[in-house]
Amino acid sequence: MNVYSARLARKNNVTQYLQNYLSKRKEGKQALVFEGQQCSSFYIPFILRKYDFSDENYQLSLDGRENVLEFRRLKLRNKQIQDDNILFFIDRDYVSPSISEDCKDVYVTDRYAIENYFIDETTINNFIRANFCLGDFSDSSEDTKNLMEEIEELYTSTFNEYLELTKKLQKIIYVCRVNNINCIPTDKFNFFIKFRDDKDDTFPMTILLNSNNDIFQKLKIPSSDFDRISGLLNQVNEFDNLNPRNDWRGKYHVFFLMKFLNYLIYLRREGKMPFKIKRNPTCEMISQNNLIPCLVSVMQPPKSLELFLNTNMKAREP
C-alpha cells in the first residue's frame, strides 16, 4: 500500500470515529481530539494540573493530522454537533496545516511535533534532579551544581554529535515529505545508527548506512523515485535553514534521548563519572512506552499550549 492509499484508508475511518463520538458524547461536556496514540500522554497531564477535565469528557486519538482536520470538517457540517465544544491538537510537521488563523479550536505545535519539546536541557536537568538521588551525591550544593554542569555539557556535545550523524537521514525524509514522495520512516533509527550495547564509559554512536540508496531502501522509498530524490537532495536549500532541535523529525530525537538517559542511569548505578557514588535511580530503565510520562512529569507546558488551554478550557476550582 502506498502513502496515498494508506491516507485514504485512514480517512475512511474518520466517519466511523465520528459515529462513535455521536453515540458517546455528553451534552455540555468538552471533548479533545488528538492525532496519535501517544499524544494524550503529553497533553492530558498538563490539562489535569489546572483545568476542569474528567472521565465524563470524551477524548479521541486519530491516526494522523489530516484525519483530525477531516473530523473537524465533518463536525462543522453536522448540525447536531457543529456547536459542540471540541478542541483539536495536531503537530506542525514540516509543512504547516492548511487552516485559517481564526481556527481557535485547533492547537498546532510551534515545533515539528510534541517530541521536540522533550529535548531541552531544562527538562533533562529536572528529570535527573527528580530521579538520581542527588542528595546522596555530596554534602555540598556546589558539588551538585558542578555535577549538573558536567551532565549538561555531556548531553549537549552528544546531542550535537547525533544531529550531525543523522543530518543526511533527516534531510531525505524532509525532501520526501515536502515533495509528496512515498517514505515510511519508523519511530526508531537503529537501522541507521548503532549504539554500543556493552557498558562503556563513553556514549559511542556508529553509522550503519552511508549510501543514499541504502537509506532509500530502509525508508521503503520506491526505486523509481531514487534518481528524483538524489537530484532534489542536491537542490534543496530550505532544510539547511531549519532549526535541528525544533524543526527536524522529533521521534528520532526522543529515541536518542531514551538511549542517552539509560546511559546516565547506568553511570549512576555504577558510580562512574560524572557521578562519584553508586546509587540506584528511583526510575526504571527508560523505554519508548514510559519516556513521555517520565519527562512530562518534570516539565512545564510549552508557552503556546498554555495560552491555548487558558483560552479554551475552564480552570479547575480550588
Side-chain angles (χ1 to χ4, degrees):
M1 179 182 290
N2 62 31
V3 67
Y4 305 107
S5 300
R7 287 173 180 169
L8 180 60
R10 291 198 299 264
K11 187 174 181 179
N12 290 336
N13 288 332
V14 176
T15 302
Q16 299 176 16
Y17 283 120
L18 184 68
Q19 292 302 319
N20 188 53
Y21 170 74
L22 287 168
S23 67
K24 295 185 177 180
R25 63 188 279 268
K26 293 190 177 182
E27 200 75 31
K29 289 294 182 179
Q30 192 171 50
L32 309 179
V33 178
F34 307 113
E35 72 167 76
Q37 296 297 322
Q38 289 189 315
C39 293
S40 59
S41 297
F42 177 75
Y43 290 109
I44 294 299
F46 293 137
I47 290 171
L48 292 178
R49 290 179 193 177
K50 183 176 178 181
Y51 304 98
D52 186 14
F53 191 80
S54 68
D55 292 339
E56 292 185 344
N57 296 86
Y58 186 85
Q59 66 181 77
L60 173 65
S61 295
L62 299 176
D63 189 10
R65 184 176 75 174
E66 292 307 314
N67 281 352
V68 173
L69 297 178
E70 177 64 16
F71 187 101
R72 182 177 182 272
R73 284 189 286 268
L74 293 175
K75 176 245 185 187
L76 293 175
R77 291 200 294 263
N78 188 309
K79 292 183 178 180
Q80 181 182 354
I81 62 171
Q82 61 185 197
D83 293 325
D84 280 14
N85 188 353
I86 304 178
L87 300 181
F88 303 88
F89 298 80
I90 58 177
D91 291 338
R92 188 197 67 200
D93 294 342
Y94 287 128
V95 181
S96 297
S98 300
I99 57 175
S100 62
E101 292 185 1
D102 62 350
C103 294
K104 305 300 184 183
D105 56 341
V106 181
Y107 173 73
V108 184
T109 59
D110 48 13
R111 300 187 183 185
Y112 176 89
I114 59 173
E115 289 86 357
N116 295 72
Y117 292 111
F118 294 118
I119 59 174
D120 292 344
E121 280 81 359
T122 299
T123 300
I124 310 305
N125 287 347
N126 289 345
F127 175 81
I128 292 168
R129 291 180 184 278
N131 293 285
F132 276 54
C133 305
L134 296 188
D136 293 336
F137 173 71
S138 71
D139 296 324
S140 168
S141 60
E142 186 64 29
D143 282 347
T144 301
K145 177 184 176 182
N146 292 338
L147 169 69
M148 298 305 297
E149 289 175 352
E150 288 185 53
I151 292 174
E152 184 170 328
E153 182 179 342
L154 175 63
Y155 172 71
T156 301
S157 63
T158 309
F159 186 71
N160 287 338
E161 180 186 0
Y162 146 79
L163 291 177
E164 188 61 34
L165 290 175
T166 56
K167 184 175 182 179
K168 177 188 287 189
L169 174 63
Q170 292 272 9
K171 190 169 186 178
I172 290 171
I173 295 171
Y174 171 82
V175 167
C176 290
R177 285 287 192 261
V178 299
N179 291 282
N180 291 317
I181 297 172
N182 191 38
C183 169
I184 307 177
T186 62
D187 293 352
K188 304 176 183 179
F189 60 95
N190 49 356
F191 68 89
F192 186 73
I193 288 182
K194 179 180 180 181
F195 296 91
R196 287 242 316 255
D197 292 329
D198 58 315
K199 301 305 182 183
D200 198 278
D201 294 338
T202 60
F203 188 70
M205 296 174 282
T206 305
I207 288 283
L208 298 178
L209 301 176
N210 284 304
S211 78
N212 285 351
N213 283 2
D214 288 342
I215 300 173
F216 296 163
Q217 290 175 357
K218 287 292 186 180
L219 295 175
K220 302 187 185 303
I221 297 171
S223 57
S224 57
D225 287 319
F226 283 12
D227 290 341
R228 181 189 175 199
I229 296 174
S230 296
L232 290 169
L233 287 171
N234 293 327
Q235 297 173 12
V236 70
N237 294 315
E238 293 87 347
F239 176 83
D240 297 320
N241 295 325
L242 298 178
N243 181 313
R245 285 173 169 256
N246 296 342
D247 303 329
W248 286 12
R249 190 167 191 269
K251 281 186 168 57
Y252 289 162
H253 288 358
V254 295
F255 185 73
F256 159 82
L257 183 57
M258 177 186 72
K259 294 289 187 179
F260 181 80
L261 290 177
N262 283 333
Y263 172 63
L264 286 184
I265 290 173
Y266 157 73
L267 293 179
R268 182 56 167 141
R269 287 176 175 172
E270 297 298 318
K272 293 187 174 183
M273 293 298 291
F275 303 100
K276 297 178 180 178
I277 303 171
K278 290 183 179 181
R279 286 289 185 272
N280 286 324
T282 57
C283 60
E284 299 295 329
M285 296 296 285
I286 304 298
S287 69
Q288 287 188 294
N289 293 328
N290 66 10
L291 177 65
I292 291 180
C294 285
L295 294 180
V296 165
S297 67
V298 296
M299 65 184 290
Q300 295 299 313
K303 293 294 184 183
S304 59
L305 175 60
E306 191 171 28
L307 177 61
F308 178 82
L309 296 178
N310 284 341
T311 303
N312 291 285
M313 296 196 76
K314 179 183 177 182
R316 186 174 59 249
E317 294 182 2

